[in-house]
Amino acid sequence: MNFSDLLQFVLTGVTNGAIYGTIGIGFVVIHRITGVINFAIGDLALVGAFAAVVLAEALPLWLAVLGGIAIAALVSMASYWLAIRPLSRHHLLVQLIATLGVAIAVRSLLQILFGSGAYQLPPFVSGPPLSVGGATISRQALWVIALSVIIVGLLILFFDWTLLGKAVTACAVNPFAARVVGINTGLMAALSFALAGAAAGTVTIAQTPMSVVTVLGGLTLSLKGFVAAILGGVDKIGLTLVGGIIVGLIESATAIFAGALYATLAALVMMLVLLIFRPAGLTRLRTATRV
Amino acid sequence: MKASRGRLSIGFRGMALGAVIVAILLAPVVFTSSYSRGLLVNFGIDALLALGLILIVGYAGQFSLAQAGFAAIGAYGSAIGTVRLGWPPLLAMVVSAGLAALVVYAMGRPILRLRGHFLAMATLAFNEILFLLLTNSSELGGSSGFGGIPPFSLFGYEFADLDQQMYLILTLVAVGLWIGLRIRSSREGRALRALKINEVVAAAHGVNPGSAKTKAFVLSAVFASVAGSVYAHTMLYVNPSPFNVMTSIEILVIIVVGGTISPWGALVGAAALTAIREGSTSVIPELFGEGAVGAGEEFVVGVLLVLVLVLMPGGIVGGYRRLHARVAAWRRGSAGNATAKQSAESVSEPTPRKEGERPGDRTVVSAGPPDGSPQKVRLEVTGLTKRFGGVTAVDNVDLVLHDAEILGVIGPNGAGKTTMINLLSGVLPPTSGRIVIDGRDVTRTPAYHIARMGLARTFQTPVMFEGMTVLETVLVGTYTVGHTGILRSALPTPGALREERRMREIAEQALERCGLSHLRDEEATNLSLGHQKVLEIARGLASRPSILLLDEPAAGLNRAEKQELSQLLRSFRSEGIALILVEHDMEMVMGLVDRVHVLEFGKTLRVGSPAEVRADPEVIRAYLGVDDQTEEVVNVGH
């Protein structure tokens, strides 16, 4: 393998990894605030992509993209109010099952509406792929990578530097004390679902012009995003993006050495291996806490 | 009367099981068309998978989303075994089930130590991995699979036509139901249900949480593998698509809809889902067109899952039980004032006693702990220290406890008394120091191990196991008395039955001694705080301990109840049990204990007889917060 092949493999891995990482951030944001693992995140991200596809029929592309992001956030928030909030007094695992129900309902509804065909968006900016040291990268891929980095920056800024962000974090650290000082924990949890939906929706919309979007991709997206989230300790936003990129690179390597069929398999095996041997991922958190 | 009610419920269970057997026998009469018989076969496979899932979800409180994956191991195992290797079907089935068990053990052992959602994700990933491998394997026919599987046969008898297959599957369902019901009310089943509510408390009664959950997980996978094998022998053909993740999720939906607390939920839920599938295949094409059948059915399943969780958390079986309890309560209410009055009394008085019975009489029904001579050292602690970050909760404490002795541990709030109990019982590991029980070093030994060595404890805030009666709660305490494992409890061998009888005797004796016999069939969480405190002691006593640690057992009791408690503790002492009593009520402590150990800020302040400690100026200062100026006032007060 020469240098340009190697570079090509890295570029592809990083692009895919940025998507997985941002989906993983969706898991992290919700888990940090509510303790819930939201199985539906991949499917909610697809809601955003399909909404953008529909809106792009009638609106300018940039408005359709923004609309798609807003719809992903709204549907994610709605799923919280309808399915998770009523179960807030129950065991977390009960809420986990409810998110599975949301995932199935959302996916099958998309399938009823759109069938199982492939859909696409036009690229955000037109132009030939850029050439870097013999390898190529599409302009859209640069959008995906840039957006994922911007999302990480905005979320870190939000959680560490704004009062609202601190209120949300307070709910995560001690819900009872947060309520005592007058923070509406329900609202904060809903906000976390909205943020997660928006983040996951954004990258999924951004990758639609590069490949295609089908209604059945949600579960795989969730699973790969969760591998990234494990690497981030299901807690750290920046490390989760790094984790996503690691997943993307491992997938690329598998595709080269074993064939594309085994790429998804590699990510899933990685999840099992991590859970068995290194559940804290790249962090030093203690994860062996009792439920 | 109470005993007869117990027998009645066993009778009811027997009747219900009998009804199932009759239903199986009548099935061919009712289900005459081959289509409906096919439905019944599908129902049976679903029910079998769901029965397995209830063991891990309903009993152990963990989520597995790989039930279809484990079924795939059974189905492909049976297919490969019979077609490629020429094995008899039974051998192929057993080998596949063993393989599934092995896989689950390897995966469950490490992951079951983690938080619950990790197992859910890991099993989901496992199912997807298996599905992708099977789909990509040209050796096994890829996505179209391969056929030529013979019908199931047992010692030469072949289950060839649909009728015979129906019998085979329904019989397996009945056996699965039987095993599920047996396990629920067995030693390991109670342990699982206890640790689902609170792992720390279950471990303090001798249950090893990781191992217990892994056993349930393994057994649930074996159920799934057997179901998969039978499925392969029914279809005579295997392909990957029935074993995808969606099937695993549907099995979860079955038990959520049916109810996870009882194996009956698996049958009810499987029947409900079969009906929903049939309903949606007839309704959806009219609404959305033919193409939407699969998606429409999934949509119904997804929405149903959320709706049932929100509106009917116990599923159909849970809803039925609540209704049943309400009707029973209503009947009791209308039966007259006598019973109502009796139950009202029982709530206010924790330890009622029969007329003319004296406290001393109770030692006659002794639970029989080992004979201890007052001189023998049972527990010895040296240099025990526990730090939480910068705070030293227990600081270099030495302590000796003899048989047939009550050691009072007192001290102001925050002196480290509860931490001390947690260290001695293995709930917390010490930072440094040594704990020796019966001459064996048990420092940093896990709580379940220490419990098995004869140490029992109570908790400051009583922990009741939701969904268990008072008798069942005490039976959890007898865990260390028995040996029957999860498999043997499913088979009514004479040894297992004898052991269960013995555990019941011990539990009932413990209840009798603590004066709770009249509440044995009440739900433990409905008891008053006073009753729950005493029930904790009964649960500890049921393990026939040689050491009993009591963490503020008298808090919240009234004067009369405290006196009864003192009597009870004296009777324990006279049987040789070594007791540690952490208590704030000085009157009770001083009147009861042999020696007093005073802690202050985690350090030992004084150890001595009640009289010595009472007279010690240091203790008075620490305890009453007396400084030089007010000391005289206190003396005047005395």
Side-chain angles (χ1 to χ4, degrees):
Chain A
M1 193 199 287
N2 57 32
F3 176 74
S4 64
D5 284 352
L6 187 70
L7 193 65
Q8 188 62 57
F9 138 79
V10 170
L11 288 177
T12 314
V14 169
T15 311
N16 287 334
I19 297 166
Y20 305 150
T22 314
I23 300 284
I25 287 168
F27 278 108
V28 170
V29 169
I30 292 174
H31 181 259
R32 260 172 75 164
I33 314 310
T34 64
V36 175
I37 292 290
N38 185 4
F39 271 100
I41 193 76
D43 297 290
L44 291 169
L46 287 187
V47 169
F50 276 97
V53 168
V54 171
L55 290 174
E57 304 273 318
L59 299 173
L61 183 62
W62 65 272
L63 215 56
V65 170
L66 288 182
I69 295 170
I71 286 172
L74 281 175
V75 173
S76 179
M77 194 154 74
S79 78
Y80 171 75
W81 284 118
L82 292 175
I84 315 300
R85 182 70 183 165
L87 295 169
S88 58
R89 283 175 201 287
H90 286 75
H91 205 282
L92 274 180
L93 289 178
V94 176
Q95 300 174 37
L96 179 98
I97 303 186
T99 68
L100 261 179
V102 171
I104 299 167
V106 166
R107 182 192 322 153
S108 49
L109 200 60
L110 283 178
Q111 196 173 358
I112 290 171
L113 293 174
F114 295 94
S116 40
Y119 290 80
Q120 210 170 13
L121 276 177
F124 290 4
V125 286
S126 54
L130 304 175
S131 167
V132 193
T136 59
I137 183 164
S138 69
R139 287 163 196 266
Q140 193 62 32
L142 289 178
W143 272 99
V144 169
I145 295 167
L147 282 172
S148 68
V149 173
I150 291 171
I151 286 169
V152 168
L154 285 178
L155 283 175
I156 289 176
L157 214 64
F158 172 72
F159 280 118
D160 293 352
W161 294 96
T162 68
L163 189 63
L164 186 60
K166 282 179 182 159
V168 174
T169 309
C171 297
V173 175
N174 189 336
F176 178 75
R179 269 198 297 276
V180 168
V181 298
I183 297 171
N184 184 341
T185 49
L187 203 63
M188 295 303 129
L191 182 65
S192 75
F193 270 73
L195 285 175
T202 305
V203 284
T204 314
I205 293 169
Q207 70 100 44
T208 306
M210 283 195 309
S211 50
V212 289
V213 55
T214 64
V215 294
L216 296 175
L219 177 70
T220 318
L221 213 51
S222 288
L223 286 171
K224 288 177 185 174
F226 191 66
V227 185
I230 296 171
L231 284 166
V234 205
D235 189 65
K236 301 275 181 280
I237 291 169
L239 275 182
T240 300
L241 184 61
V242 174
I245 289 168
I246 293 175
V247 177
L249 290 173
I250 287 178
E251 253 195 18
S252 283
T254 317
I256 289 171
F257 294 114
L261 272 178
Y262 292 93
T264 300
L265 213 51
L268 295 176
V269 170
M270 193 177 158
M271 179 184 330
L272 277 187
V273 170
L274 277 174
L275 285 177
I276 290 172
F277 297 105
R278 181 79 195 152
L282 303 170
T283 68
R284 266 182 280 164
L285 297 170
R286 265 188 74 238
T287 41
T289 45
R290 297 187 173 92
V291 177
Chain B
M1 178 235 159
K2 292 283 155 45
S4 74
R5 197 195 294 173
R7 232 173 281 138
L8 211 72
S9 75
I10 292 166
F12 169 76
R13 192 181 294 167
M15 259 158 55
L17 220 57
V20 169
I21 293 166
V22 171
I24 293 173
L25 292 175
L26 284 180
V29 182
V30 181
F31 295 87
T32 44
S33 73
S34 65
Y35 177 72
S36 59
R37 288 184 183 186
L39 274 187
L40 203 60
V41 166
N42 283 344
F43 157 80
I45 301 275
D46 280 352
L48 211 50
L49 290 169
L51 279 167
L53 193 58
I54 278 187
L55 296 178
I56 180 82
V57 178
Y59 294 0
Q62 299 285 317
F63 284 92
S64 160
L65 289 170
Q67 207 63 352
F70 303 139
I73 295 180
Y76 274 82
S78 278
I80 294 167
T82 52
V83 178
R84 303 272 165 89
L85 305 172
W87 290 351
L90 185 64
L91 177 66
M93 180 191 263
V94 171
V95 169
S96 321
L99 183 69
L102 218 65
V103 167
V104 166
Y105 184 81
M107 190 164 69
R109 216 46 234 247
I111 294 177
L112 280 168
R113 282 179 294 128
L114 308 175
R115 290 174 50 126
H117 54 240
F118 284 117
L119 184 75
M121 269 295 179
T123 47
L124 192 65
F126 173 79
N127 202 145
E128 190 70 8
I129 289 170
L130 206 61
F131 180 74
L132 288 173
L133 281 178
L134 290 174
T135 312
N136 292 348
S137 158
S138 52
E139 183 72 10
L140 297 174
S143 57
S144 48
F146 67 100
I149 303 164
F152 193 73
S153 61
L154 205 57
F155 309 117
Y157 180 83
E158 205 170 72
F159 296 83
D161 66 20
L162 198 54
D163 254 15
Q164 290 162 326
Q165 286 165 356
M166 190 168 67
Y167 276 123
L168 173 68
I169 289 173
L170 292 181
T171 307
L172 279 174
V173 169
V175 170
L177 183 67
W178 162 263
I179 292 175
L181 287 170
R182 291 286 312 172
I183 287 177
R184 191 180 146 75
S185 55
S186 74
R187 174 174 169 268
E188 288 285 352
R190 283 186 298 263
L192 284 169
R193 285 155 64 204
L195 72 84
K196 182 184 170 187
I197 307 290
N198 192 316
E199 278 192 13
V200 173
V201 176
H205 288 94
V207 182
N208 178 348
S211 147
K213 283 188 281 189
T214 308
K215 282 181 209 159
F217 192 25
V218 167
L219 200 58
S220 87
V222 168
F223 269 67
S225 174
V226 168
S229 292
V230 173
Y231 177 82
H233 286 296
T234 314
M235 298 291 141
L236 311 181
Y237 170 85
V238 282
N239 64 326
S241 69
F243 305 110
N244 64 14
V245 168
M246 193 56 208
T247 309
S248 287
I249 295 175
E250 276 183 8
I251 303 301
L252 182 66
V253 175
I254 284 177
I255 68 168
V256 168
V257 170
T260 57
I261 43 167
S262 155
W264 290 104
L267 270 64
V268 174
L273 199 76
T274 309
I276 288 164
R277 278 201 199 117
E278 285 306 296
S280 51
T281 36
S282 60
V283 173
I284 288 167
E286 290 169 24
L287 292 176
F288 304 105
E290 285 293 337
V293 172
E297 193 188 305
E298 282 190 11
F299 182 70
V300 172
V301 166
V303 172
L304 191 74
L305 184 54
V306 176
L307 281 182
V308 170
L309 285 176
V310 173
L311 302 176
M312 205 165 57
I316 296 172
V317 169
Y320 168 77
R321 287 211 174 157
R322 260 213 308 273
L323 195 72
H324 192 82
R326 207 171 288 171
V327 170
W330 176 77
R331 270 207 203 128
R332 243 181 290 156
S334 63
N337 281 340
T339 42
K341 200 177 149 204
Q342 190 192 339
S343 66
E345 272 173 10
S346 67
V347 170
S348 61
E349 192 188 339
T351 51
R353 180 172 289 154
K354 288 180 206 125
E355 295 289 327
E357 189 189 4
R358 290 176 44 77
D361 296 348
R362 287 176 181 243
T363 50
V364 178
V365 281
S366 149
D371 295 321
S373 62
Q375 286 76 33
K376 187 175 180 295
V377 172
R378 188 57 77 171
L379 172 74
E380 193 172 7
V381 170
T382 41
L384 197 64
T385 301
K386 178 69 187 177
R387 286 192 200 93
F388 296 104
V391 181
T392 307
V394 172
D395 193 355
N396 202 18
V397 169
D398 295 343
L399 181 150
V400 176
L401 182 67
H402 303 89
D403 276 345
E405 176 186 45
I406 304 181
L407 176 68
V409 175
I410 64 170
N413 285 326
K417 305 185 294 293
T418 296
T419 307
M420 185 75 172
I421 298 265
N422 283 337
L423 293 172
L424 295 181
S425 57
V427 168
L428 288 174
T431 311
S432 61
R434 231 167 84 94
I435 304 170
V436 176
I437 295 177
D438 292 340
R440 277 177 59 191
D441 189 339
V442 296
T443 320
R444 286 186 192 79
T445 305
Y448 63 83
H449 205 103
I450 292 182
R452 289 171 191 179
M453 292 184 65
L455 183 144
R457 64 165 292 184
T458 66
F459 289 81
Q460 201 173 359
T461 327
V463 182
M464 296 295 116
F465 305 126
E466 211 183 321
M468 282 198 198
T469 65
V470 167
L471 180 63
E472 282 178 305
T473 307
V474 178
L475 277 167
V476 171
T478 63
Y479 185 82
T480 52
V481 176
H483 306 282
T484 309
I486 194 162
L487 263 184
R488 212 151 64 90
S489 65
L491 313 166
T493 58
L497 288 176
R498 204 180 318 124
E499 188 183 285
E500 179 68 21
R501 252 200 321 275
R502 188 160 153 262
M503 282 161 57
R504 267 175 202 271
E505 269 166 30
I506 293 170
E508 282 180 19
Q509 278 176 359
L511 278 178
E512 175 74 36
R513 290 189 71 186
C514 297
L516 291 174
S517 286
H518 61 298
L519 295 171
R520 49 176 286 189
D521 292 323
E522 291 291 325
E523 185 123 342
T525 42
N526 292 344
L527 261 53
S528 68
L529 180 71
H531 277 127
Q532 290 188 357
K533 286 243 158 191
V534 183
L535 180 54
E536 283 237 330
I537 298 175
R539 188 170 63 193
L541 182 65
S543 68
R544 305 186 140 202
S546 52
I547 305 170
L548 184 57
L549 313 180
L550 301 163
D551 197 352
E552 298 194 21
L557 300 191
N558 66 33
R559 206 182 163 82
E561 289 162 358
K562 281 177 184 171
Q563 278 169 2
E564 301 224 353
L565 181 64
S566 296
Q567 280 303 331
L568 190 63
L569 299 188
R570 280 197 189 98
S571 73
F572 293 166
R573 173 172 58 190
S574 69
E575 287 155 26
I577 301 179
L579 290 126
I580 286 184
L581 174 67
V582 169
E583 188 48 64
H584 277 299
D585 184 334
M586 280 309 121
E587 193 190 333
M588 182 180 168
V589 171
M590 294 304 176
L592 182 62
V593 305
D594 303 294
R595 289 184 302 132
V596 184
H597 193 121
V598 190
L599 290 175
E600 189 196 16
F601 301 121
K603 287 199 181 77
T604 303
L605 191 67
R606 187 89 168 80
V607 183
S609 71
E612 285 167 2
V613 166
R614 205 170 357 203
D616 191 299
E618 275 290 292
V619 175
I620 293 170
R621 179 199 54 76
Y623 224 81
L624 302 177
V626 184
D627 58 26
D628 295 338
Q629 283 143 19
T630 50
E631 196 163 10
E632 286 186 14
V633 182
V634 170
N635 286 339
V636 171
H638 273 269

